[in-house]
């Protein structure tokens, strides 16, 4: 069996690590797994880069001017399809394709004409909307029927002038419905349910959930002196990941929290640039971003509670990473977040309720949830088991054809 993953990156960022993990799991079982990416580099001989930076910049400019995302990158997509011809694939697995890197019509038409088993993983909502990656904050449900009058015209895949969301949704409906052997995978029950409601995938026979997983050997409780180094001995530490200090990821809510929490509770925001650390308000301590997983696990382990006030999300693995390190989680009721946290390991708060966050923090400060229970909950999301679910799916789909 030959499987090709197509994603914007390979081996880096969340989706790139997932692609690499599934590919490596498949290879251990004798499957020839390839990956195509358009950004960065990879030293894996079974991967290849398609398109150029120049073409991606042109694509981005045209997208902003015409309002059409995924309609350009002709030459890069043509080179990708030629490589696919050479490999003679059994399965193509699509991941994130909204990085100004693909001509979606060319790719989906190729999959339909060659009757290739196709798996689509929904890392966000872009595949079943006109243009949006998320629509929760906008309160929009036009993607269920026709799009148009897009409230997110200047966010996610920006368009400066024209609203072409209705056309893009209609085109996705036509292109995906032409693929005979299509399976759609949501990484949370939340997004799987939305896909079933969507105009794009409403007629798809197989839509299922395979939750994201994490590396439980890397994310585990660690001994650390981070509290001492930050001068926080004796303090109750609330940890958050800043993620660009955006409102969508809850930065404004952390600022409000800092003003209303008791003085023996300190907020620490990790994942910042040096400039962002310097811009933090009084009472909030910043930790610069790190790609070192051991260091990140130490940061999680040092915290008394991890707070994730995200307003729009699918299935944030940061929540699982914190639990795996023995740290309870408080998160908003949005996207797939409630699927991760239960009463043994944290609290779910209504979205935007900063006073609710404060109450949850004070409650956990008193109840002192057990690290062992947090770790046990995280073990339900072992990445090796999740990768194997994808491999089993490939085998099932190809076997049906035979």
């Amino acid at each position: 069996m030959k499987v090709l993953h197509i994603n914007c990156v390979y081996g880096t960022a969340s989706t790139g690590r997932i692609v690499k993990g599934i590919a490596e799991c498949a290879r251990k079982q004798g499957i020839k797994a390839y990956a195509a990416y358009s950004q960065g580099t990879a030293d894996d001989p079974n991967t290849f880069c398609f398109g150029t930076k120049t073409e991606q910049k042109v694509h981005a400019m045209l997208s902003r001017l015409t309002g059409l995302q995924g309609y350009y990158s002709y030459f890069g997509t043509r080179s990708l399809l030629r490589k696919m011809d050479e490999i003679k694939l059994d399965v193509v697995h699509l991941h994130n394709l909204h990085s100004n890197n693909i001509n979606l019509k060319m790719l989906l038409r190729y999959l339909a004409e060659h009757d290739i088993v196709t798996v689509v993983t929904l890392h966000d909502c872009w595949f079943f909307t006109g243009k949006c990656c998320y629509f929760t904050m906008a309160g929009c449900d036009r993607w269920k029927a026709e799009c148009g009058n897009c409230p997110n015209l200047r966010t996610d895949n920006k368009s400066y002038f024209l609203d072409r969301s209705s056309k893009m949704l209609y085109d996705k409906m036509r292109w995906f419905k032409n693929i005979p052997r299509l399976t759609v995978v949501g990484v949370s029950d939340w997004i799987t349910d939305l896909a079933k409601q969507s105009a794009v995938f409403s007629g798809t026979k197989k839509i299922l959930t395979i939750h994201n997983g994490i590396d439980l050997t890397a994310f585990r409780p660690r001994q650390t002196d981070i509290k001492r180094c930050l001068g926080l001995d004796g303090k109750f530490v609330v940890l958050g990941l800043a993620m660009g200090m955006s409102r969508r990821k809850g930065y404004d809510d952390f600022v409000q929290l800092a003003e209303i929490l008791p003085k023996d509770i300190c907020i620490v925001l990790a994942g910042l640039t040096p400039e962002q650390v310097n811009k933090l308000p009084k009472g909030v301590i910043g930790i610069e971003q790190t790609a070192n997983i051991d260091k990140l696990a130490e940061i999680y382990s040092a915290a008394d509670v991890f707070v994730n006030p995200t307003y729009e999300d699918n299935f944030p693995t940061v929540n699982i990473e914190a639990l795996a390190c023995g740290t309870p989680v408080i998160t908003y009721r949005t996207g797939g977040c409630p699927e991760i946290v239960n009463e043994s390991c944290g609290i779910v708060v209504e979205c935007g309720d900063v006073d609710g966050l404060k109450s949850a923090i004070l409650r956990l400060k008193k109840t002192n949830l057990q690290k062992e229970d947090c770790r046990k909950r995280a073990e339900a999301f072992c990445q090796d088991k999740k990768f194997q679910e994808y491999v089993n799916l490939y085998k099932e789909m190809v076997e049906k054809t035979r």
Side-chain angles (χ1 to χ4, degrees):
M1 187 192 307
K2 296 179 181 179
V3 178
L4 173 68
H5 294 266
I6 306 176
N7 190 46
C8 52
V9 294
Y10 179 82
T12 61
S14 58
T15 60
R17 288 192 291 270
I18 289 170
V19 168
K20 184 177 181 180
I22 300 171
E24 291 177 345
C25 180
R27 288 168 193 154
K28 291 176 182 177
Q29 298 170 60
I31 296 172
K32 294 183 178 179
Y34 304 86
Y37 62 94
S38 59
Q39 298 174 13
T41 58
D43 55 5
D44 190 323
N46 295 307
T47 66
F48 57 91
C49 186
F50 64 94
T52 64
K53 289 183 179 180
T54 299
E55 188 175 40
Q56 289 167 25
K57 289 179 180 178
V58 172
H59 189 146
M61 178 186 69
L62 291 173
S63 177
R64 283 163 170 72
L65 293 175
T66 67
L68 296 173
Q69 167 62 226
Y71 286 72
Y72 307 105
S73 295
Y74 170 83
F75 295 104
T77 306
R78 185 177 66 174
S79 70
L80 171 63
L81 299 183
R82 286 176 175 172
K83 187 69 175 179
M84 291 166 65
D85 276 335
E86 293 176 15
I87 299 174
K88 301 188 185 309
L89 296 158
D90 297 292
V91 180
V92 170
H93 191 160
L94 307 180
H95 296 268
N96 274 358
L97 300 181
H98 49 74
S99 298
N100 304 308
N101 60 349
I102 200 79
N103 186 300
L104 196 62
K105 178 181 179 180
M106 291 172 63
L107 175 61
L108 298 186
R109 183 172 61 185
Y110 179 95
L111 297 174
E113 290 176 351
H114 290 75
D115 191 15
I116 296 175
V117 169
T118 303
V119 178
V120 176
T121 289
L122 304 175
H123 297 289
D124 56 41
C125 304
W126 184 79
F127 276 120
F128 60 84
T129 68
K131 66 175 289 294
C132 302
C133 294
Y134 292 100
F135 40 74
T136 310
M137 291 178 71
C140 178
D141 64 357
R142 297 186 183 100
W143 49 274
K144 293 182 179 180
E146 57 185 6
C147 277
N149 297 315
C150 181
N152 284 338
L153 202 61
R154 298 296 179 90
T155 61
D156 292 340
N157 309 302
K158 295 180 182 178
S159 173
Y160 292 141
F161 307 109
L162 303 174
D163 183 353
R164 309 297 294 278
S165 58
S166 179
K167 170 181 169 54
M168 289 187 286
L169 184 74
Y170 177 69
D171 285 345
K172 287 176 183 176
M173 290 168 58
R174 292 188 299 113
W175 298 338
F176 276 111
K177 282 179 174 28
N178 287 334
I179 299 175
R181 293 181 289 163
L182 173 66
T183 293
V184 177
V185 179
V187 302
S188 66
D189 291 333
W190 169 78
I191 204 168
T192 299
D193 183 58
L194 293 181
K196 292 176 181 177
Q197 299 176 47
S198 71
V200 174
F201 295 128
S202 60
T204 303
K205 294 181 180 179
K206 196 174 183 66
I207 305 178
L208 68 149
T209 300
I210 298 178
H211 287 120
N212 284 336
I214 65 164
D215 183 352
L216 292 169
T217 62
F219 291 101
R220 64 183 191 278
R222 307 290 186 103
Q223 294 296 322
T224 175
D225 62 352
I226 289 178
K227 268 192 173 183
R228 181 184 59 78
C229 293
L230 295 176
L232 298 177
D233 282 333
K235 295 277 191 177
F236 187 87
V237 173
V238 174
L239 175 67
L241 289 181
M243 303 296 288
M245 300 174 74
S246 69
R247 177 176 175 268
R248 176 176 163 243
K249 289 298 184 179
Y251 174 74
D252 294 350
D253 297 35
F254 277 120
V255 174
Q256 292 182 51
L257 262 180
E259 296 174 351
I260 61 177
L261 285 174
K263 295 189 180 300
D264 63 336
I265 299 177
C266 181
I267 294 177
V268 175
L269 293 185
L272 299 169
T273 65
E275 294 77 15
Q276 290 170 336
V277 170
N278 293 330
K279 293 180 181 178
L280 289 175
K282 185 178 179 180
V284 179
I285 295 174
I287 297 178
E288 292 182 18
Q289 58 193 0
T290 177
N292 187 311
I293 290 181
D294 290 327
K295 180 68 174 177
L296 186 55
E298 288 183 15
I299 294 171
Y300 283 128
S301 299
D304 294 291
V305 62
F306 178 75
V307 173
N308 185 9
T310 176
Y311 280 76
E312 289 184 319
D313 230 318
N314 189 352
F315 196 75
T317 53
V318 292
N319 290 358
I320 311 172
E321 291 168 359
L323 293 176
C325 295
T327 303
V329 171
I330 298 172
T331 189
Y332 278 159
R333 190 181 303 281
T334 185
C337 294
E339 297 168 39
I340 301 170
V341 178
N342 61 30
E343 65 279 0
S344 72
C345 62
I347 299 174
V348 177
V349 175
E350 294 306 314
C351 201
D353 184 0
V354 178
D355 287 330
L357 290 180
K358 175 187 175 181
S359 297
I361 292 169
L362 295 177
R363 179 178 158 193
L364 289 188
K365 187 171 182 285
K366 290 180 179 179
T367 55
N368 191 26
L369 294 180
Q370 298 301 304
K371 289 182 177 292
E372 293 78 9
D373 290 332
C374 295
R375 174 72 183 184
K376 184 177 180 180
R377 179 56 184 160
E379 288 171 354
F381 305 104
C382 172
Q383 68 176 15
D384 293 339
K385 294 179 181 178
K386 301 305 176 183
F387 296 156
Q388 185 61 49
E389 288 183 42
Y390 278 109
V391 175
N392 291 344
L393 177 62
Y394 303 153
K395 293 177 179 179
E396 175 191 336
M397 295 179 70
V398 172
E399 189 62 33
K400 279 185 178 179
T401 303
R402 291 173 178 169

